Amino acid sequence: MAQSVLLTGAAGRVGQAVLGDLADEHEWRLMDRDPPTDDHPGEFVVGDVTDEETVREAMEGIDVVIHLAGDPRPEAPWDSVLTNNIDGTQTVLEAAANAGVEKVAFASSNHAVGAYETEERTPEMYQPHDDYLLDGTELPRPGNLYGVSKAAGESLGRYYHDEHGLSVVCVRIGNLTQGHPPIDYERGQAMWLSYRDCAHLFDRCIRAEYDYEIVYGISDNDRKYYSIDRAREVLGYEPRDNSAHHDDDSSA
Ligand SMILES: NC(=O)C1=CN([C@@H]2O[C@H](COP(=O)(O)OP(=O)(O)OC[C@H]3O[C@@H](n4cnc5c(N)ncnc54)[C@H](O)[C@@H]3O)[C@@H](O)[C@H]2O)C=CC1
Ligand SMILES: O=C1O[C@H](COP(=O)(O)O)[C@@H](O)[C@H](O)[C@H]1O
């Protein structure tokens, strides 16, 4: 059944990957502080996710929120991640809880756990012979303030699940790259997320039933240091791409 989905950060890369495959699958309300530049499904709300009134209005009649809006730069300064990522996420979760929204999928990041990539473990952990694996049960360990903001978003999700009953899934997205895995970048190849796997993963976040979850959002890459078992079990995620098998299939 089509669900009514609010997609924040809709004008960005992840938003475009999601809409690229799912435009006809759900009833969309899109939100971004940047106005749309192209055709888009559903209505488009131009506004900031830190603006309580705009977010409250955007939440009306919504079943599921995919919250992508934020500053995605690993080197982003504190004032930006504090406002856009932490305050923005709290504003979205509060409005979702008040509006009776069922589920929220939050775009977390590999950078919430970036400091597990220690000098002792790298570059081996990026390579096929290494079996080091994070599975989402480990504590956050950010290596930058952007990662701190994503860890804070995960904690906010935990709070709004426990205290307000929202179903929340935090997707620690790896490296979304269109058409092919990152070139000459072992780390990025190990955490590659293709566009079609990204759309499929967020589709599963819309359709599946869960309480509070942290999953990794990467393709089924031969070498991976993030487990996708939990995403498979809880969400029914079945990725089709693998950075090791990539054959220039532009559908990825
Ligand atoms: N692209 C990737 O590989 C990864 C992305 N992520 C996360 O996924 C989300 C989306 O990332 P991308 O699409 O790559 O970034 P992007 O920069 O392409 O898109 C982000 C969108 O959010 C909007 N936005 C930012 N702050 C806003 C605010 N305060 N109010 C309303 N709209 C706002 C921007 O206008 C932009 O359209 C981010 O939260 C990012 O941290 C996480 C891990 C990897
Ligand atoms: O969270 C994010 O991670 C990806 C991959 O990280 P990188 O350190 O390999 O660049 C990054 O491309 C993206 O912009 C960011 O939001």
Side-chain angles (χ1 to χ4, degrees):
M1 190 183 76
Q3 299 199 69
S4 191
V5 184
L6 174 65
L7 179 69
T8 75
R13 292 166 295 172
V14 180
Q16 291 308 296
V18 168
L19 293 173
D21 279 7
L22 303 181
D24 299 330
E25 294 293 317
H26 304 285
E27 289 163 13
W28 294 99
R29 184 175 297 151
L30 312 181
M31 180 171 179
D32 203 291
R33 65 184 175 193
D34 289 345
T37 53
D38 256 329
D39 285 352
H40 57 82
E43 69 181 293
F44 198 109
V45 178
V46 178
D48 200 294
V49 289
T50 62
D51 180 340
E52 285 178 28
E53 194 180 334
T54 306
V55 175
R56 188 170 59 243
E57 287 171 7
M59 211 58 78
E60 280 171 21
I62 291 296
D63 303 312
V64 183
V65 177
I66 299 180
H67 175 46
L68 308 176
D71 188 332
R73 296 171 298 160
E75 71 284 5
W78 181 243
D79 60 347
S80 178
V81 296
L82 182 61
T83 305
N84 295 301
N85 299 8
I86 301 179
D87 187 21
T89 298
Q90 193 273 334
T91 304
V92 166
L93 287 166
E94 176 75 20
N98 289 337
V101 164
E102 215 184 309
K103 304 170 201 169
V104 176
F106 166 61
S108 186
S109 168
N110 61 89
H111 285 279
V113 288
Y116 285 101
E117 298 170 40
T118 58
E119 275 184 20
E120 293 72 33
R121 291 192 184 118
T122 57
E124 286 73 21
M125 67 184 281
Y126 309 138
Q127 295 164 358
H129 62 264
D130 199 84
D131 59 5
Y132 184 77
L133 197 62
L134 299 172
D135 66 5
T137 61
E138 61 282 328
L139 288 171
R141 195 170 165 186
N144 46 46
L145 293 173
Y146 163 72
V148 170
S149 76
K150 291 298 175 180
E154 293 180 358
S155 283
L156 284 164
R158 180 83 241 185
Y159 166 74
Y160 279 95
H161 170 68
D162 288 338
E163 299 301 322
H164 297 273
L166 267 181
S167 293
V168 177
V169 58
C170 304
V171 182
R172 289 179 177 164
I173 302 171
N175 187 315
L176 180 80
T177 307
Q178 189 167 21
H180 55 77
I183 295 164
D184 295 332
Y185 183 29
E186 279 181 333
R187 178 175 180 271
Q189 289 158 5
M191 64 161 94
W192 182 47
L193 178 63
S194 71
Y195 265 49
R196 68 180 172 187
D197 286 344
C198 178
H200 164 64
L201 177 54
F202 281 103
D203 191 41
R204 295 312 310 159
C205 293
I206 293 168
R207 295 177 195 270
E209 298 297 326
Y210 43 84
D211 293 315
Y212 176 80
E213 293 290 337
I214 293 176
V215 300
Y216 284 100
I218 62 171
S219 289
D220 191 13
N221 308 316
D222 273 6
R223 173 60 196 135
K224 49 174 99 61
Y225 55 94
Y226 300 139
S227 171
I228 53 174
D229 287 354
R230 194 71 190 157
R232 286 186 191 278
E233 285 161 20
V234 174
L235 302 176
Y237 176 51
E238 293 176 4
R240 290 193 284 170
D241 291 306
N242 177 339
S243 56
H245 295 173
H246 191 72
D247 59 359
D248 289 335
D249 175 354
S250 60
S251 60

